[in-house]
Amino acid sequence: MDPGTPIAVITLSAKVLSTIWMYYWEAKNARSDITLLTDEIRGFQDVLQKVGDLLSRRSRVSLPASLETTLKQAQLDLTSIEKQLDPGKGTKRMRLFGKRALKWPFTKKEVEEWIARFDRLKTSINLAVNTDSASLIVDVDSTVTQLKEVHLTDEQDRLLAKLPYAAGASFDSYHRQHEPECLENTRVELLRSLQEWGGDHQPKVFWLSGMAGTGKSTISRTLANRFKMEKTLGGNFFFSRASGEANNAANLVGTLAHQLANKLPALKPLICEAISLNEDVLRQGLRNQWKELILIPLSKASISGCPVVNIIIDALDECGSDDDIRIILQLLVEVKSLKAADLGVFVTSRPEVIIRLGFAAMPEITHHRLDLRDIPRSIVQRDISILLESEFDSIRRQHQLREWPTQPDRQILVERSDCLFIYAKTACRYIGDPDWDPEERLSEILQGASTGGAATAGLDAMYLHVLKGALTDGRNEAEVHALCVRFKHIVGAIVTTFDELSVPVLGRLLSMKPGLVDAALDAESPIRLLHPSFHDFLVDKARCRDSQFCIDQALMHGELVDVCLETMSTALKRNSCQLPTPGSSPQEVEGGMMDINLPKHVQYACEYWVDHLMGTKSDTRAQYVCDSGKVHSFLEKGFLRWLEAMSVMGKMPRAILMITELTKMSELGRHRSLRAITEDARRFILRNRAIIEEAPLQTYVSALVFSPAESLIRKCYLHQVPSWLDRLPATDVGWGNCVQTLYPNGTIRAIAFSPDGKYLACGVHVNYGVGDVIQLWDAETGALHSTLEGHQAWITSVVFLHDGTLASYSMDKTLRVWEPIIGVIRHVLDIRFGAIDDEVLIERRNRYPGLSIMPNGDIAILCWDHNIRIWSWEHQSFSAPVNQGLSVISLFGCLSYGRLVFGTSHGVYMLDPSTLTVPTFITIHTGLVAVSPDDRIAWCTRDHDDDNTTTFWLFDTSTNDLSKLGVQPDAAVRVRVLAFCPDGTSLISGGGDKTVTLWDLSTRAQSLVGISLQAPSGVAFSHNGRQMATISDWEVGLQLWDLSLKSFAPTEPRREIHEIVFSLLFSPRGTFIAASTMDPDSNTSMLKLYNTGNYQLLFECETYNYYAVCFSPSDERLAAVSPNGTISLWDPSTETESHILTNGPSFVSCLAFSSDGKQLALGSEDGILRIWDPTTKALRRNFEHAQSVSAATFSLDSTRLASLAIRQELGYDTTARLWDINTRNLLYESDGYPKGERLIAVSPNNKYIAHYYRKDSVFLYDLESKERRNLGTDTPSYVTDLAFSGDSQYIAFAHFKETSLYSINPIQQVAVFPSEWWDARRIMSLSADGRYLENAQGTFRAREFEADIAGGCPKDVNCWSYRDRWIVEGEKKMLWLPPEYQDFRMAYHDGFFAFPHENGCRLLGFTQDPVVLDAEE
């Protein structure tokens, strides 16, 4: 033990106290002094103990200096006392003579001095500890601050790492480190001008254009480096045609945002916040990314001094998509509005048409253009001469040459370069090859003919000369042939591939022997061509006139198709990246696992195999795109593995485009089998895109399980469904006309297709209290392109104008006109005419847009004051009201000759706004109206007197002919959508029964397009009429339909009205399932019983309501209340029925079997609770309540019966009672409680009865002690069911979003079971130890407080349950459910789920054996 420590001093003080205590008994006269000193030393000891405890909890080892000094002094004092108290050797001898052996050595004054001394020691210790604690607090605060800063930095770095970032696109990246900058004294004037622009940004955008080889990228690198040294470089992106990460715009905004975050510290948290709040933006279009990741953070940032920030975008022409180029140029305009920083953008490119047009559309004050061809030739030749001199100087030193080359020779090279720096650079590389004589090589070039004509003639001659020197000179014919073959194979692949590949990756892709590619190229970095012009030379037969070197790209594409298909077939495995569960997202792929399990050459093959197929010649392509060909084989064997890989790579939108292109190619041939499977693959990926993108392994689970039974992909791969799926549901036979479902995060209120059909605009209500947004979706891939924000209230309509702009009308009384692709607002029209009227609002909710486009492009608008006004683009103003005093509540559309069709509360009218004539009355009908492109009007009327039908009418405005189009039965199912197809030949209607019907106007025939997820409330068509979009008032998604498929079902003579399924109920042993349905035609409640083994319909009968159904515990009987009040008692095994008549006219209100199945309790509205013998049909007992019995339940031993009854005379109060069945004694009766529910339960040991009242809580009554206890006053409202555990130690009750588990002795909450609020309505069973619960949505394991629950945790229980769109096992997401299966009416029993379907239900079964998830699942 170290001296001077608190523990050492405590030990010494204890020893001193022990010695003092000896004197207490011997020195009686000093007892008061002894007591005072003892108390003081004990108090000092307590202080030391607290100090020791405090120090023991610290990581610091050394003591504070002041505390150490005080402890040493205390040790000295205690040692002094100990010595004075030592009795010496004479003590024992004195005791022998019977004398007192000990004499107290201290006087009273000395004791007081010692007490004062110890008091001072305590004060010193406390002061030292407090001082040290304050210092420690400061240290801790500093440490905590540092830790927070480190954590914040780590979190920000983690978020920035999610950005789509192209490291190789930066000018100073590792792969670009050898790319040159401008030599000293070259481009002097140009660079000076550019640097001056980089300091003042007048104007904001600078465009430098020039043809290939003029040195644009070299200028960009030089400028970027100078801006970097000046600390003004904010970001840069060098596009490259040969780089997969830099040959398109997908990584542009992410890369710039990443660089800006590191450049401007104030910007970093704002960009990270944008990612954290909306991670979806990382996968959205350029417009949304630019806005959320750059514009908004820059506008919010508090940056002192408005710093100068430069962004460089090089080689914009090498961005792969013209659409992306157009968007990028449009986005650049917005930098002019930034105030926090002086941001300028420098752009270089070839003078391509798309770029010239894009810059031409910019205001001149926004950008400046400089074409390198405009620089005087003399200045360019001077710079090329300096370049040549620099290169020749290096060659002279290397080869020890003097006065070489001559000035005339240099001048010839300058002239031949024709202002192309790439010519001079290539010549110097060729001349300076260390393995050759530079004088000879220069002579070869100078002796070559001086070519004229084409602008690239000199460059072409140089390239050809270099190739011949490298591959043919000095070699025999065989060697030349071998080298040229290898050249075409390797360089041909480099020229033809769509991404830059490193030497090892290219070698693996080409399956070449290790070292062969390395020896040919001698490079480790991604391979890049000398210059884009070299690529153009090699693939152009007119420029590369030696067939030994010219690359036939079409032929090379064919070779690469073979390579890609072979690579994917051999390398792709199921769950290649070892995702932990079937529901894991691509983001869960551990770092490094992607490149290990999906190497770069495999990723390349997955992404570009279709592109290479498209690049082949038609005759070559036909060898692949044919029945039983390589593509056909791949689709049958490797398609799902490819989809999984594309999802992990984040390339699902691209996968859709690839399969779409493959489908187009297969349609050109006569190969029916291939055409069928490619179309099926396209439908498969479109239907399942969202879930495969979210969880790649659902490719083998949800995507397969719920695909149509006749899907070719499903048939090919059904054997790959995981083994833990015991039973698959019956699915539709074919795909139908609905091709995909989009899932906006909110309720869609308005939709419109863009004129080219490429995009779909949706007005989406995201959440309450916030204005709506417009989401722009890619109609082909289903990807969200961008989100347009600006409206402050509901958007009631969106419509594309003639010029492609988008108009949106909102309850904020504005109409906004957008450039939808880039999200720029062009116009905001203030429409503050009158207050918002409820009647108009109702019509807007019914999808009447409130605006219509006139033939001349003007806009007719139904304003909130019930008047129609015309907005004139020519006059930039609104007209006076044109509706002639009529109060308009709906604007239906505009006819081709300019007449408006609108509705009032009195009927439908036509009006010519140009003449302002009296409106023409059409019909008294005021409901659904549709206007066709060929000037016809359709509407429907509901006739309750004539067979309860809906009649459809067609009115021709040119002839004034009115005809009856047809009828549909059941007017109760209201038609909610009516619209003409764009060509006017057909009409679409959608009803409350979710059917979508097409009417052929020439034949008047009706056809069923399909069944929507919910009743449609809005519809839109693409301009060519091939695509249709439908929406509903529920957040179930937007459905896209392909009307060109024409796989319509006939509906004549009347369409089928599907039954409505109200509830599903498994029998206790799971043998049967009862479906309670209603026939919409007759409003009749029906009960259907199915065998769960083969899903055979055993019988059906009418019931009173869907609550009045009950199974016996052994599945032997099913009791159901008939409409006339009788009880139908069925034996499911024999399908026989008997009847039990109730006593009197009162209807049965509840049913309950006893646990032994020998008693059936019937509660009725007359207050009588009857017990029947279901075998003998005899009435055994009657128990009476004052009013209607609402619930009844037996005890486990069937000797007691609990019931609830409503007392209407007391305001519908509820009373609970417990009866002894044999003695008829009333064992318990509760007081009346208001607004009671049907919830009561008896514990298995008959000791407790529990019941719930909405006003208060769950009450537990102890039948032995007669004590009533409340299970917490904070019980959430609306408890839906109660259940005891098998050992009667726990009770569970379901309520909003969860189920609570309470122990009974003592009463306390011990666990929580998760559940959806609308699914927690029934607790079917609770395990004996309370750990597991089974209800209508699955089996649940308690997720909290498990340590407080007695008993072990069984390891053989599979907790299958439904949770937030997923079937999960425990906490593992296993199977995603499509929207049609996400239904609160589902039922569950022992691993089986039942889901409502139009005519019954669908079953889905999961194993109860241990679930094994290996690398292949």
Side-chain angles (χ1 to χ4, degrees), residues 625-912:
V625 186
C626 62
D627 292 347
S628 303
K630 292 182 179 180
V631 171
H632 194 170
S633 177
F634 175 74
L635 291 176
E636 290 184 331
K637 299 177 181 178
F639 176 66
L640 294 194
R641 297 195 300 273
W642 172 71
L643 271 187
E644 177 201 335
M646 292 295 282
S647 173
V648 172
M649 293 159 56
K651 303 288 186 180
M652 280 302 292
R654 176 161 176 75
I656 294 175
L657 294 176
M658 292 169 68
I659 291 299
T660 301
E661 290 299 330
L662 188 62
T663 304
K664 293 177 182 177
M665 286 187 275
S666 68
E667 290 174 350
L668 299 177
R670 299 180 179 179
H671 305 280
R672 295 182 179 179
S673 297
L674 177 68
R675 186 163 63 249
I677 197 169
T678 53
E679 174 59 22
D680 195 78
R682 186 181 74 89
R683 298 299 300 273
F684 184 90
I685 193 172
L686 285 173
R687 170 77 67 86
N688 300 293
R689 176 200 62 83
I691 184 53
I692 296 176
E693 194 169 45
E694 179 182 342
L697 296 185
Q698 289 300 301
T699 307
Y700 312 96
V701 192
S702 180
L704 277 180
V705 168
F706 299 110
S707 289
E710 294 301 315
S711 163
L712 298 179
I713 295 297
R714 188 179 198 262
K715 289 181 177 181
C716 287
Y717 295 97
L718 193 58
H719 65 281
Q720 295 191 21
V721 169
S723 58
W724 40 265
L725 269 166
D726 271 356
R727 178 165 178 172
L728 305 185
T731 59
D732 296 334
V733 176
W735 288 107
N737 296 293
C738 181
V739 293
Q740 63 175 318
T741 302
L742 311 182
Y743 299 98
N745 184 25
T747 303
I748 308 171
R749 302 190 181 280
I751 48 174
F753 275 97
S754 62
D756 58 4
K758 186 175 182 179
Y759 296 105
L760 186 64
C762 307
V764 182
H765 186 65
V766 180
N767 51 54
Y768 296 103
V770 179
D772 287 11
V773 299
I774 299 173
Q775 293 182 350
L776 201 65
W777 293 80
D778 188 313
E780 185 172 16
T781 67
L784 178 62
H785 180 273
S786 59
T787 300
L788 312 181
E789 298 177 355
H791 282 295
Q792 303 303 312
W794 287 358
I795 295 173
T796 60
S797 61
V798 291
V799 61
F800 280 91
L801 306 182
H802 297 333
D803 60 357
T805 55
L806 176 69
S808 57
Y809 192 19
S810 168
M811 287 178 60
D812 62 8
K813 297 186 178 181
T814 65
L815 185 144
R816 296 169 186 254
V817 180
W818 312 73
E819 286 284 356
I821 305 301
I822 62 172
V824 175
I825 298 177
R826 294 301 185 201
H827 305 278
V828 178
L829 307 185
D830 191 346
I831 313 177
R832 301 188 182 183
F833 302 105
I836 295 177
D837 185 272
D838 289 341
E839 189 176 10
V840 178
L841 177 58
I842 292 172
E843 293 300 325
R844 300 291 171 84
R845 284 178 172 173
N846 288 337
R847 300 298 177 267
Y848 293 122
L851 56 88
S852 182
I853 310 303
M854 306 292 289
N856 64 351
D858 290 346
I859 306 176
I861 303 175
L862 172 57
C863 302
W864 298 106
D865 62 354
H866 296 271
N867 287 313
I868 299 175
R869 294 174 173 86
I870 310 294
W871 170 263
S872 169
W873 292 111
E874 180 182 358
H875 301 101
Q876 292 290 296
S877 63
F878 282 104
S879 70
V882 299
N883 43 287
Q884 302 295 297
L886 294 175
S887 180
V888 182
I889 60 175
S890 50
L891 176 59
F892 299 120
C894 181
L895 302 174
S896 64
Y897 45 89
R899 285 193 177 188
L900 295 174
V901 180
F902 61 89
T904 72
S905 58
H906 303 292
V908 178
Y909 294 82
M910 284 192 307
L911 170 72
D912 187 343

Side-chain angles (χ1 to χ4, degrees), residues 396-440:
R396 282 195 298 268
R397 290 196 304 271
Q398 184 178 4
H399 291 271
Q400 299 181 355
L401 299 173
R402 293 184 179 181
E403 298 181 359
W404 173 91
T406 65
Q407 178 60 32
D409 289 346
R410 285 200 301 268
Q411 189 59 37
I412 292 174
L413 286 179
V414 170
E415 294 292 338
R416 289 192 178 182
S417 67
D418 196 24
C419 294
L420 294 177
F421 281 81
I422 188 61
Y423 179 96
K425 193 70 178 177
T426 304
C428 291
R429 285 186 181 224
Y430 178 71
I431 295 169
D433 191 321
D435 296 330
W436 296 85
D437 183 352
E439 293 179 301
E440 291 183 3

